Every structure is written in structure tokens, then in C-alpha cells.
Amino acid sequence: MQVLFATGDVMAQQGVERVGLDKHNFARTGRMALYGGAVFGPAATTWFKFLQNRINLANANATIAARVLTDQTVFASTNLFCFLSSMAIMEGTSPKDKLDAAYWPALQKNWMLWPAVQAINFKLVPLHHRVLVVNVVSLGWNCYLSYINSQGKA
């Protein structure tokens, strides 16, 4: 996970912000890698197992809908809160200011992307590959998160 979060940050700095290698913020890339490896990776793996084992309804499509709803209301909102707060703490800035500026707009953008990704993921992808699917989509999403984190707004 840390490689994907770091790659997302490099994409943000070099592809979106176009800071150039001489002005690349390696500490920022390191913070993203740390969050991806220490927080998101273990949390996502545990979360997918929880959804698989605990949310099972009589109808397969209802199960998928319940998993997506639970994922987006519980995990996505909590993970975004943790991401923005931990980045602010590691940067030595105010978590409250970061959350006030970026949380709600980023969560709304999350809901434009992830429900569809997760519906497909839960419907078609075996449990042991679900984090991989999320990782592939996360390259672009992590680029966005890194960008909004560095800008302080979504």
C-alpha cells in the first residue's frame, strides 16, 4: 500500500502540480507512504474481510448494496477523516483547519467514484483480490488526495 500512496503523491506533485524534481517534496511523499502502509493497508484488508463475513443478506444484490452503503458511510468517511487528520499532524498543522477546508468536498467526490467501483468489486471480484482492485483505482484517487491535502481544500 505504501508504494501506491507514494506513487499517487508523485503523480500529484509531478503530473498535476508540475513542481519538477528539484522541488519535489520527498517528506510529503514519505508521509503518504507511511499512511498507506501503516494505516490504510491493514485497515482496508481487515475491512473487506469484515464486509465479506458480516454483511450477508438473502439476496446477492441486496448484499452488494448493503456492503457498498456500509463501506461508504462507515469506512470511507472514517478513512478520509483519519487521512486528513494524520496528514495535518505529520505536517505540524491544524487537523481542524484541514478537515474544515477539505473533508466534506472530498467526501462528496469520493461518493462520485467509489460506490460504483465497490459495487463492481463486491459483485465480480473474489475477496482475496478486492484490495488489489481498490489499489489500482487508488492510484488516481491517491493523486487527488495528495493534491487536496497539499492545497488544504478539495
Side-chain angles (χ1 to χ4, degrees):
M1 290 291 178
Q2 65 269 26
V3 171
L4 293 166
F5 271 74
T7 301
D9 178 68
V10 171
M11 290 167 55
Q13 289 192 56
Q14 299 306 320
V16 177
E17 299 165 39
R18 300 190 182 278
V19 298
L21 291 177
D22 56 323
K23 294 188 178 175
H24 187 89
N25 184 339
F26 289 98
R28 174 176 147 183
T29 303
R31 288 189 297 270
M32 289 288 291
L34 179 62
Y35 183 84
V39 178
F40 184 80
T45 301
T46 302
W47 179 248
F48 284 124
K49 288 177 187 172
F50 169 82
L51 290 174
Q52 181 74 20
N53 295 328
R54 300 296 177 139
I55 299 182
N56 294 294
L57 305 176
N59 177 293
N61 288 333
T63 297
I64 292 166
R67 287 177 182 170
V68 170
L69 180 64
T70 305
D71 181 63
Q72 291 303 299
T73 57
V74 177
F75 187 77
S77 58
T78 302
N79 179 61
L80 184 58
F81 177 89
C82 292
F83 172 77
L84 292 170
S85 298
S86 63
M87 288 296 124
I89 290 166
M90 287 189 280
E91 294 161 356
T93 61
S94 166
K96 182 185 182 316
D97 291 346
K98 177 101 48 177
L99 290 166
D100 286 347
Y103 180 80
W104 182 241
L107 188 59
Q108 289 174 313
K109 288 181 178 72
N110 171 88
W111 290 335
M112 292 178 197
L113 171 67
W114 287 105
V117 170
Q118 292 295 55
I120 292 165
N121 203 15
F122 295 143
K123 176 91 175 165
L124 302 175
V125 180
L127 175 62
H128 61 281
H129 291 307
R130 288 183 187 155
V131 173
L132 179 61
V133 169
V134 168
N135 288 344
V136 171
V137 178
S138 287
L139 281 173
W141 181 248
N142 292 340
C143 176
Y144 168 74
L145 285 179
S146 177
Y147 177 74
I148 63 149
N149 181 65
S150 71
Q151 303 302 304
K153 61 186 179 305

